[in-house]
Amino acid sequence: AFEAVLRLDARSIDAHAGLAKALCWQGRPHDAAEVYAQGAAASGDAGLALSGALLLPVLPESRADLDAWRARSMSRLAALEGIAGRVRDPLREVD
């Protein structure tokens, strides 16, 4: 359903967030990260960008995998410093 919405409106923040959450829960964190990145680029939404930066897999493959995801998060968070967007309602806008 989220993909159908995105075909109609590629800037839909809710559809990007919903699809990314679903992919993450399906054990597809790399796909979820791509959806968050595409959504943030298409909509300019800071909540999607922050959610993508904070993304960690539900079940990491190994300790090394978890360490790699944490390093990715730190790098992405650093890249978000100074962005123009604003998160108005973090409980709703950020996963």
Side-chain angles (χ1 to χ4, degrees):
F2 295 123
E3 291 170 334
V5 171
L6 290 172
R7 283 191 293 274
L8 297 172
D9 179 7
R11 296 182 59 187
S12 173
I13 295 166
D14 291 334
H16 278 99
L19 179 56
K21 288 178 202 177
L23 290 168
C24 194
W25 281 104
Q26 290 174 0
R28 298 169 55 191
H30 293 283
D31 294 333
E34 182 63 27
V35 170
Y36 277 127
Q38 289 172 351
S43 68
D45 185 69
L48 289 175
L50 187 53
S51 293
L54 295 172
L55 178 67
L56 295 172
V58 175
L59 294 172
E61 295 175 13
S62 65
R63 177 64 188 220
D65 184 48
L66 181 58
D67 290 342
W69 277 97
R70 286 180 176 160
R72 175 197 169 278
S73 289
M74 296 304 294
S75 172
R76 299 271 169 116
L77 287 171
L80 291 178
E81 287 186 43
I83 64 169
R86 180 174 172 206
V87 176
R88 290 172 185 75
D89 185 357
L91 294 177
R92 186 178 93 57
E93 297 177 50
V94 179
D95 297 330

